[in-house]
Amino acid sequence: MVAIAGIVLTAVLIAMLEVPAMRKRRLKKELFLFFAILLLAAGIGIAQSLHITLPNPLDWVAAVYGPIGRLVDSALK
Amino acid sequence: MNERISGRQFALMAAYVAIGDSMLVLPSIPINDAQQNAWISALVGLAAGMMVVWLLSAAGRLYPHLTLVQAAEQLLGKWIGKAVSALFVAYLFLSIGAHTREIGDFLTTQMMPETPIQAIHIMYAGILAMAARLGLETIARTGEFFFSFFIVFLAAFILFLIPDIKLNNLLPVLDGGIKPILRGSITMTAYPFMELAVLLMAIPAVRKPQAIHANFMRGAFMGGAVVLLIILLSILVLGPDYATRSIYPSYALAKKINVGRFFQRLEVILAFMWLLTSFIKSAIFFKVLQTAIAQTAGLRTEKRLELPLGMLVVCFSLIISSNIIDFHEADHYWPYMDMTFSVILSLVLLAAYAIRRAARRKGTTGSGNKGKD
């Protein structure tokens, strides 16, 4: 619970630091991206503190490049 | 980007990216493959790496006033260019997550075993965000300022290790044939040199475009030479067996320093050098990530995305692997990802440029190509 509170607090703090200046300059796209990244980060963080297993992006990379790696390894064995 | 960096700073940035995390995590990989012949792997890697840098520099100089993302959009058309840029952004992000994890793994296993890894990640991402907010120019100047310290520490490190060198560790030469050596040289080419592709995003900031090529090559060579030296020392001092079994051979190397039973426990020197090079490298990656996101999404300003990105890096660096052993599995396929975004991407850009120029020469009747320059 403490971890989740900390994550939410950090996210709110970051938003409070940055958003007013961005709104003043009417940076709509920037604001959208800002919140998208912030919510993604907070979501991943909360999922982690609840010990939910998340998909590992390196597994996707391994699925793409692993076969090339194994091919080269076997050629140079 | 209205930041300006000098040619010298660009060269030093190339050196930092080449040395970067490679200084600590790279040596055990070629030594594992080629044992005592790993220094030949490193030589082969240096030669191949310089060719990679030559290629990168050629691709970068097509449009010296455009970043890689802008050049991709210019050459490949809007949508393919944007797709390539999005993949590049993902690659940068993966790299930063991996660098952060390397720092966390190293500090928690070797220096601060009781500190939770999250604490180290949060601080590291915090200074990365700070560096990105201050801009590329500040990062380049920091690198320039600290480089003399780096050289002094490196010289001291090598000098103190000379008494422990055992030339017998290099024998027998070439006993396993050429294949293990080539196997080891793949990582040695990829980690220091192919990751230099990020600097293609910094090219428009260099003051004298005509000096880019020489500085790029010089910096990369300097960095590669340092990595070669570290690998050679690991074999000469530790011997291939110990160097293979250690996750961080250069750190084990630093622990060996013992001059007259007086100068001992100097591994902090190495930790300083590694944290410095790794930090400058990650800071360049982070800044470039921010620029790449802004240019791909067509933002008006690239500022202000640092903090959410930093928070994402903290969370992300924890999910990319469950433990340090699992993380080192990445060494089997990561070099090929580096290859895609350096060699293949450069070749694609150069080919697109050649095709466009040929099409323009054949007749300026306008074959549907979007106008350039």
Side-chain angles (χ1 to χ4, degrees):
Chain A
M1 271 335 265
V2 182
I4 297 174
I7 291 162
V8 172
L9 202 71
T10 315
V12 170
L13 212 69
I14 290 176
M16 274 165 59
L17 268 174
E18 306 283 15
V19 168
M22 287 164 83
R23 279 188 54 181
K24 207 178 276 173
R25 291 179 58 195
R26 296 181 194 284
L27 301 167
K28 275 192 196 140
K29 240 186 204 173
E30 282 82 348
L31 269 172
F32 176 74
L33 213 61
F34 181 92
F35 278 114
I37 296 172
L38 197 60
L39 287 178
L40 183 65
I44 294 177
I46 290 169
Q48 262 167 2
S49 52
L50 293 174
H51 299 287
I52 298 169
T53 324
L54 291 163
N56 177 356
L58 279 193
D59 288 342
W60 310 335
V61 179
V64 176
Y65 291 104
I68 311 170
R70 279 192 291 277
L71 196 74
V72 174
D73 281 353
S74 65
L76 291 176
K77 263 279 140 62
Chain B
M1 229 199 293
N2 43 17
E3 290 169 302
R4 285 275 163 262
I5 55 176
S6 70
R8 186 184 134 84
Q9 285 165 345
F10 186 72
L12 290 181
M13 271 162 67
Y16 273 114
V17 173
I19 301 167
D21 52 333
S22 307
M23 188 171 190
L24 201 63
V25 291
L26 178 62
S28 67
I29 303 166
I31 297 176
N32 194 11
D33 287 321
Q35 299 294 320
Q36 71 276 19
N37 296 316
W39 64 280
I40 309 179
S41 291
L43 268 182
V44 175
L46 184 61
M50 291 318 288
M51 287 194 274
V52 172
V53 176
W54 188 86
L55 190 70
L56 285 175
S57 160
R61 279 175 299 147
L62 291 180
Y63 295 108
H65 55 287
L66 295 183
T67 65
L68 181 64
V69 165
Q70 288 167 329
E73 212 164 302
Q74 177 90 272
L75 283 169
L76 305 172
K78 193 174 178 196
W79 293 110
I80 302 175
K82 284 230 190 283
V84 169
S85 305
L87 286 175
F88 189 67
V89 165
Y91 163 69
L92 289 172
F93 192 75
L94 277 174
S95 299
I96 296 166
H99 294 160
T100 311
R101 184 58 184 263
E102 278 166 359
I103 299 267
D105 274 343
F106 171 73
L107 285 176
T108 48
T109 55
Q110 306 290 324
M111 298 180 90
M112 304 175 184
E114 313 228 336
T115 309
I117 195 166
Q118 288 90 340
I120 292 159
H121 286 179
I122 289 170
M123 284 199 279
Y124 194 66
I127 51 170
L128 285 183
M130 186 176 154
R133 163 121 341 161
L134 291 170
L136 195 66
E137 203 172 318
T138 315
I139 297 170
R141 285 180 189 197
T142 312
E144 193 180 21
F145 174 71
F146 276 114
F147 202 74
S148 42
F149 291 86
F150 176 77
I151 292 294
V152 169
F153 281 146
L154 186 71
F157 183 69
I158 293 166
L159 216 65
F160 288 147
L161 278 171
I162 286 177
D164 292 319
I165 284 177
K166 292 181 218 63
L167 281 173
N168 276 346
N169 281 340
L170 287 184
L171 299 173
V173 179
L174 282 176
D175 62 330
I178 198 83
K179 278 183 176 179
I181 292 178
L182 288 180
R183 174 79 196 82
S185 67
I186 292 174
T187 336
M188 174 63 202
T189 319
Y191 284 4
F193 298 105
M194 290 181 181
E195 297 190 350
L196 283 167
V198 290
L199 287 185
L200 295 184
M201 293 291 296
I203 275 183
V206 181
R207 268 205 203 94
K208 284 189 212 134
Q210 64 275 19
I212 285 171
H213 182 69
N215 282 318
F216 209 166
M217 298 290 276
R218 209 171 53 193
F221 183 79
M222 201 150 57
V226 171
V227 176
L228 169 68
L229 213 61
I230 300 268
I231 291 178
L232 190 59
L233 274 176
S234 303
I235 304 167
L236 279 171
V237 175
L238 299 174
D241 280 337
Y242 187 16
T244 309
R245 268 181 281 124
S246 161
I247 307 176
Y248 304 116
S250 40
Y251 193 67
L253 203 58
K255 285 185 183 164
K256 279 265 182 184
I257 293 178
N258 183 358
V259 182
R261 294 203 180 170
F262 180 68
F263 271 118
Q264 289 176 334
R265 308 283 307 183
L266 292 183
E267 61 262 31
V268 173
I269 286 190
L270 185 105
F272 169 81
M273 290 197 285
W274 183 61
L275 286 173
L276 170 69
T277 53
S278 213
F279 165 65
I280 302 273
K281 180 173 182 174
S282 324
I284 294 170
F285 268 71
F286 199 90
K287 176 69 203 168
V288 162
L289 170 73
Q290 203 191 354
T291 313
I293 289 179
Q295 289 179 350
T296 310
L299 303 185
R300 268 192 288 159
T301 167
E302 55 183 66
K303 289 268 152 97
R304 308 222 172 258
L305 284 180
E306 304 92 356
L307 288 173
L309 277 176
M311 192 170 167
L312 193 56
V313 165
V314 172
C315 302
F316 184 75
S317 54
L318 291 170
I319 59 171
I320 53 176
S321 82
S322 46
N323 58 51
I324 185 166
I325 304 297
D326 177 44
F327 188 42
H328 280 269
E329 283 295 302
D331 293 329
H332 293 290
Y333 51 82
W334 198 284
Y336 306 101
M337 180 160 70
D338 283 339
M339 207 177 282
T340 317
F341 289 99
S342 55
V343 177
I344 297 176
L345 185 56
S346 307
L347 285 175
V348 166
L349 290 183
L350 286 167
Y353 184 77
I355 291 168
R356 293 212 158 196
R357 204 173 54 171
R360 202 165 43 167
R361 262 202 204 138
K362 208 175 270 176
T364 34
T365 44
S367 50
N369 285 347
K370 289 180 201 86
K372 306 176 299 177
D373 299 316

